[in-house]
Amino acid sequence: MEDNKSKRMYKDRVTIYEVAKVAGVSLATVSRVINGHTNVTEKTKKAVEDAISRLGYKPSALAQGLANSRSTHLGIMIPSTGYSYVSNMLDGMIDMAKIYGGYITSIFVTRRNKEDAAQMIESLIKSHVDGAVIYDDLLGTDEIRSIQNYHIPLIVIGHDMEGDALGSINLEFKEPILDVVKEHLMTGADDVTVLDIVNQGKMVDDIRDSILEYGQVSGKHIQTLQFNDSYGIVYAGMKEYFRTHKSGYFVAPRDSLGAAILNAALESGLRVPEDVQILAEIGGKYSYIVRPQISSFSMDMFKVGSIAVRMLTKLLNEPDKIKQKTFKMRATFNKRETTK
């Protein structure tokens, strides 16, 4: 049974979306009632006021300004923008919010650990956002659904899930990557090494596990090398590795780490791709600015961000009319010069 403190916290975090849903009206109508506009019927006004009273809703300045073409508050939760693909996705979100107009965004940046992600969830809730886009694949589905206890419409990137006010965009990298690794192994090779980066996230962990599982099923020897997430650490570790190993097929989570393998191999006197082959799971600028260029997978992350915000605005404004709450995007393989 909830104590009084928990109930007060819950009421403080009710959003304008929940009021609109309970009253059976639009966000703009709720805002018109809050702002005392006269162009609202008595029946509608009473329905909104009853919902506000029942939920214990406290209007924020953002909600009070909605009817006057002021901003609706969107939260964006992402890992460090130091990754180019995350930065591109964020650009797509911001660009779409500007196109639609009437939205402001708050960005919540998480570090690569679950504890920090949990703290950012708390900050997101306390900020009274009207809706949010979350891309942090260290979070599990239960943690994501717990956010909905506070009635915040969500679009989640990197998970395949949906709900009453929940949509998702699934980023499909695992199958395309596994297909390319399988093709390599079918040539008779038995030399795949997967870089296992600490705190690399659920998506990359799933890719690693799928490759290892295929190795067990097919009887192929597939190993992992574990490193912290750093170009310098991977470069130094691979230089040491190439002192005693003169060949191999290496799968790196990102092209910047693939570049670390590439440089370590070349500086060890090895040829690429004749002796060493390199495949990057997530490609960006490093894939094509280094020489030889790195074979990698790409996805239009700007488009992902744009779709996420577009879906969220529909959840906020027309929740009963949104037909597709899940969206899937499949990565494209770009074969370059580091694989045969």
Side-chain angles (χ1 to χ4, degrees):
M1 187 174 186
E2 290 182 313
D3 58 25
N4 290 333
K5 182 179 178 182
S6 296
K7 289 179 179 178
R8 286 197 302 272
M9 289 175 65
Y10 175 82
K11 288 182 179 180
D12 285 346
R13 293 169 184 171
V14 172
T15 67
I16 190 174
Y17 170 85
E18 182 64 12
V19 174
K21 181 179 177 183
V22 170
V25 299
S26 69
L27 295 177
T29 298
V30 175
S31 188
R32 282 195 289 271
V33 172
I34 292 170
N35 285 279
H37 287 219
T38 57
N39 59 337
V40 180
T41 66
E42 284 299 319
K43 181 179 179 181
T44 298
K45 180 181 177 182
K46 186 177 186 307
V48 172
E49 289 175 343
D50 287 348
I52 289 173
S53 176
R54 191 185 341 159
L55 296 171
Y57 174 66
K58 300 186 190 311
S60 67
L62 289 165
Q64 290 171 324
L66 182 61
N68 297 317
S69 297
R70 287 167 63 186
S71 300
T72 301
H73 193 187
L74 305 183
I76 298 174
M77 184 172 166
I78 54 173
S80 170
T81 54
Y83 300 140
S84 61
Y85 65 95
V86 176
S87 180
N88 290 339
M89 182 171 61
L90 178 60
D91 286 345
M93 294 179 191
I94 301 299
D95 188 69
M96 186 55 60
K98 287 180 179 178
I99 289 173
Y100 275 98
Y103 295 95
I104 64 168
T105 56
S106 293
I107 301 173
F108 302 83
V109 179
T110 64
R111 299 181 181 88
R112 300 300 290 175
N113 62 74
K114 288 191 84 168
E115 292 75 17
D116 191 72
Q119 290 176 4
M120 285 298 103
I121 287 176
E122 184 71 11
S123 297
L124 178 76
I125 293 167
K126 288 181 177 178
S127 71
H128 290 279
V129 296
D130 297 301
V133 178
I134 294 180
Y135 174 61
D136 192 314
D137 64 357
L138 290 177
L139 296 176
T141 56
D142 290 343
E143 293 161 305
I144 291 168
R145 290 195 184 279
S146 72
I147 303 173
Q148 290 202 294
N149 292 335
Y150 303 99
H151 309 291
I152 301 173
L154 295 177
I155 298 298
V156 184
I157 299 173
H159 291 265
D160 188 1
M161 54 195 301
E162 65 177 88
D164 184 37
L166 172 66
S168 64
I169 301 176
N170 188 30
L171 309 181
E172 184 53 71
F173 280 87
K174 182 170 68 175
E175 289 185 8
I177 291 169
L178 185 57
D179 287 344
V180 172
V181 173
K182 284 181 180 179
E183 185 177 345
H184 167 70
L185 290 171
M186 286 176 183
T187 64
D190 194 17
D191 57 354
V192 172
T193 299
V194 181
L195 263 64
D196 185 13
I197 304 300
V198 177
N199 289 331
Q200 60 191 344
K202 182 180 181 299
M203 183 180 77
V204 178
D205 282 347
D206 286 347
I207 295 169
R208 175 202 62 204
D209 292 345
S210 69
I211 295 173
L212 292 175
E213 182 180 353
Y214 178 75
Q216 292 177 345
V217 171
S218 63
K220 297 289 186 178
H221 176 259
I222 298 176
Q223 66 175 354
T224 60
L225 290 176
Q226 189 176 78
F227 297 103
N228 285 322
D229 190 357
S230 162
Y231 172 93
I233 290 173
V234 172
Y235 169 79
M238 293 308 301
K239 281 279 286 186
E240 183 64 25
Y241 181 86
F242 288 136
R243 289 179 60 185
T244 55
H245 299 78
K246 304 302 179 182
S247 64
Y249 186 100
F250 298 88
V251 182
R254 301 190 311 280
D255 57 356
S256 58
L257 301 181
I261 301 171
L262 173 64
N263 291 335
L266 295 176
E267 291 174 24
S268 298
L270 303 176
R271 299 170 300 162
V272 178
E274 292 81 3
D275 303 318
V276 171
Q277 296 188 65
I278 303 162
L279 178 69
E281 296 169 3
I282 302 174
K285 61 183 179 181
Y286 295 102
S287 295
Y288 51 84
I289 65 175
V290 298
R291 295 293 183 273
Q293 294 182 333
I294 299 173
S295 295
S296 63
F297 293 81
S298 64
M299 185 178 290
D300 188 343
M301 298 304 288
F302 185 95
K303 182 178 180 181
V304 171
S306 300
I307 291 172
V309 169
R310 191 158 66 241
M311 291 174 68
L312 182 58
T313 60
K314 289 183 179 179
L315 278 181
L316 284 165
N317 298 311
E318 299 178 302
D320 297 329
K321 294 182 180 179
I322 183 169
K323 296 180 180 179
Q324 185 177 356
K325 289 185 178 178
T326 60
F327 197 93
K328 294 187 178 183
M329 294 192 67
R330 184 180 176 90
T332 300
F333 179 47
N334 302 291
K335 188 179 186 306
R336 298 189 177 94
E337 300 164 339
T338 58
T339 55
K340 297 178 181 176

